[in-house]
Amino acid sequence: MRPVSNQIPAVFIHVRDLKKSVKWYSEIFGLHVDLDTVVSPVHNVPMKGGTGLTLDDHTFDDQFTHQPSPNPIANFLAADIDEAYEFLQQKNVKIVREIERIGKKFAWFNFSDPDGNVLMVCTC
């Protein structure tokens, strides 16, 4: 075994307001969450597959400055890119890059969360 494994157990997304972000991500993914159970500084959003999603508000880190990346920090799978795009638009999610298509099966677009973190939806 190597000292650093080629596995990603979780992706961290840095947020300003943990409860607000947990609510937003839960609505996007269709998850039920009891916001009374959300406690700073982190919340693990239940995800399918092997990689987790951790929202982190850095409550205990007074040196932290939130600086969202202008590039996607994670991508989420969609079976139908057009349906995903329309769904996010109906939720008033900011689309920051329109749908791009490569061939007949692969497509993606970028959107941002309420903290300005850029994320991607793609087909495979």
Side-chain angles (χ1 to χ4, degrees), residues 54-123:
T54 301
L55 303 178
D56 186 349
D57 71 2
H58 294 271
T59 297
F60 304 117
D61 183 0
D62 58 356
Q63 301 298 315
F64 180 77
T65 302
H66 186 265
Q67 297 178 341
S69 170
N71 301 304
I73 56 176
N75 69 335
F76 303 104
L77 184 62
D80 182 322
I81 199 73
D82 297 301
E83 181 181 26
Y85 183 92
E86 183 177 318
F87 170 77
L88 291 177
Q89 279 194 314
Q90 289 174 356
K91 294 263 185 205
N92 294 316
V93 172
K94 183 178 179 183
I95 305 297
V96 296
R97 186 166 185 160
E98 295 296 321
I99 296 174
E100 296 191 35
R101 302 173 195 273
I102 298 178
K104 294 183 181 191
K105 293 187 179 184
F106 186 69
W108 74 90
F109 66 90
N110 297 347
F111 66 100
S112 65
D113 74 2
D115 289 293
N117 296 304
V118 177
L119 304 157
M120 177 185 286
V121 172
C122 69
T123 60

Side-chain angles (χ1 to χ4, degrees), residues 18-35 38 43-47 53 55 87 91:
L18 188 62
K19 286 188 179 194
K20 178 180 174 184
S21 293
V22 168
K23 183 177 185 226
W24 188 86
Y25 278 90
S26 294
E27 287 176 0
I28 295 300
F29 296 133
L31 304 171
H32 173 74
V33 64
D34 178 359
L35 292 177
V38 176
H43 178 81
N44 294 313
V45 178
M47 302 296 288
L53 178 64
L55 303 178
F87 170 77
K91 294 263 185 205

